[in-house]
Amino acid sequence: INGVYGEAKEDDRKKRVESGETLEAAERESVDAGRSALIQTVGKLTGVTVDRYAEVSMLGFVLMTDALGGVNVCLNEAVNEPMSGADFPAGPQTLDGPNALSFVRQRHDLPRGDLDRVVRQQVVMSSLAHSAISGGTLTNATTLGKLRDAITRTVVLSQGWDVMDFIQQLQGLSGGNMAFATIPILREDGWTEDGSQSVVKAQGKAEEATYSKDQTTADVVNETQINGLAAAVSELLSGKGFTAGKVGNNDRDHAGSSQVQAASQDDPGSKAVGEVLGLPVVEKQGLPERTVRVVLSNDYHGPGSGRETTPAASETGSTEQD
């Protein structure tokens, strides 16, 4: 999530420069590519449709916080962390814009580092939103003017999103209409294969978002009398990007109907193969992780089933002749 914006923006900027655009124009226009990539990535990871996009700069955060009279927080312990500038006593307190920025940027000296920083950011966002909703904030012309000025000056909004309409819509919100969520974390102590970066393992759609077809090995077995069927389907799947596995006849444990077998029905590879062939996914114990077993029975009429074969062709054992 935190890398896709910059990577997509830089790729687009380079392409624009290579096509003859000035450095200034390429820098200005490439931000749209970064924003689009970020929206797509968040949606793909969470399964939530992103309807609107707001990009708030650090200055914008400071100005909006000050416009609303600061943000109320409560610390269990005093903190003095120089890298973020966070220096606060324990207990309840109201932070102005600059101090609130230090508060939400701190990650060092927190038990869970970045994850606890997310919690802080959600607390501050919730506090600011409730400040805007309650206490007649939106009926106070002076406060509303400051908030409007801060947003107009420093916040980038998706096309067609009227900032003043949005501010007025906040009046219809209540505690039950607002929710903050964090992707469930399974492990915090992971590392990339080269050992250069720490990673967390998340629960949910993260695995699907990072999935590629070549990660799945597809074994294909034929339990029909159609010679070459398994080979044809295996070749088709290879052409779609899957890794070819074993090909042959299904001489035992007949399924009776065409299906994609996998160790788990939630396996993204089995879902992808099933989508290509139009087959259901069936959970089967004993199959290796990231390996699927495609069973082709007499009811199979999907892709690859219409390939012509010669009468002399036959399938025996674990190999198949086309």
Side-chain angles (χ1 to χ4, degrees):
I1 291 178
N2 64 351
V4 65
Y5 179 100
E7 292 172 2
K9 176 182 177 296
E10 180 61 14
D11 288 344
D12 187 72
R13 187 193 69 82
K14 289 180 179 179
K15 292 177 182 177
R16 290 178 178 275
V17 172
E18 291 172 356
S19 66
E21 290 189 21
T22 64
L23 293 176
E24 293 78 9
E27 178 67 25
R28 183 177 61 254
E29 299 297 329
S30 61
V31 294
D32 284 338
R35 291 165 184 159
S36 296
L38 180 57
I39 290 170
Q40 293 172 8
T41 300
V42 171
K44 198 172 182 181
L45 283 168
T46 62
V48 175
T49 300
V50 179
D51 299 306
R52 297 290 188 226
Y53 174 91
E55 184 177 305
V56 184
S57 67
M58 292 185 185
L59 175 61
F61 177 86
V62 170
L63 293 178
M64 286 189 291
T65 302
D66 283 338
L68 291 170
V71 60
N72 297 320
V73 300
C74 183
L75 290 175
N76 293 327
E77 299 178 3
V79 60
N80 184 359
E81 199 284 298
M83 294 189 70
S84 63
D87 185 4
F88 312 115
Q93 54 206 288
T94 301
L95 305 180
D96 62 11
N99 280 318
L101 182 62
S102 295
F103 180 80
V104 298
R105 294 191 69 195
Q106 181 188 356
R107 65 186 176 94
H108 295 285
D109 295 342
L110 295 179
R112 299 191 306 156
D114 285 316
L115 298 178
D116 280 339
R117 176 164 65 176
V118 171
V119 174
R120 280 194 173 186
Q121 291 168 350
Q122 292 178 346
V123 168
V124 169
M125 290 173 65
S126 177
S127 179
L128 288 175
H130 282 89
S131 294
I133 294 167
S134 61
T137 297
L138 296 182
T139 59
N140 184 311
T142 301
T143 300
L144 191 60
K146 291 180 180 179
L147 184 59
R148 176 178 54 193
D149 181 61
I151 294 176
T152 303
R153 287 175 53 193
T154 61
V155 177
V156 176
L157 297 171
S158 54
Q159 188 174 7
W161 194 8
D162 186 275
V163 63
M164 293 311 299
D165 282 348
F166 174 66
I167 292 175
Q168 296 302 325
Q169 287 170 14
L170 290 178
Q171 295 180 88
L173 287 178
S174 64
N177 297 125
M178 189 183 308
F180 295 89
T182 304
I183 296 175
I185 302 300
L186 299 180
R187 290 184 58 188
E188 303 173 25
D189 57 352
W191 289 88
T192 53
E193 292 183 0
D194 60 6
S196 64
Q197 300 182 62
S198 63
V199 297
V200 295
K201 184 175 182 181
Q203 180 180 343
K205 289 185 172 289
E207 185 178 2
E208 294 183 18
T210 58
Y211 170 74
S212 60
K213 292 179 180 178
D214 61 346
Q215 295 173 355
T216 297
T217 298
D219 296 341
V220 185
V221 294
N222 184 4
E223 55 183 41
T224 76
Q225 298 300 314
I226 303 174
N227 294 327
L229 179 59
V233 172
S234 178
E235 183 178 344
L236 181 142
L237 291 174
S238 295
K240 296 289 186 180
F242 300 99
T243 300
K246 300 175 183 177
V247 176
N249 292 324
N250 191 22
D251 295 326
R252 57 182 179 81
D253 192 21
H254 282 205
S257 63
S258 300
Q259 57 191 249
V260 178
Q261 299 175 345
S264 170
Q265 287 184 316
D266 295 327
D267 174 61
S270 64
K271 294 179 181 179
V273 172
E275 183 176 347
V276 170
L277 300 180
L279 296 178
V281 177
V282 176
E283 192 168 306
K284 186 175 179 63
Q285 295 182 349
L287 288 178
E289 187 178 358
R290 297 196 175 185
T291 295
V292 300
R293 186 171 183 261
V294 179
V295 180
L296 303 174
S297 295
N298 290 322
D299 60 348
Y300 183 67
H301 301 285
S305 62
R307 176 168 297 187
E308 295 183 359
T309 57
T310 61
S314 62
E315 298 176 1
T316 58
S318 60
T319 62
E320 184 177 47
Q321 296 176 335
D322 247 340

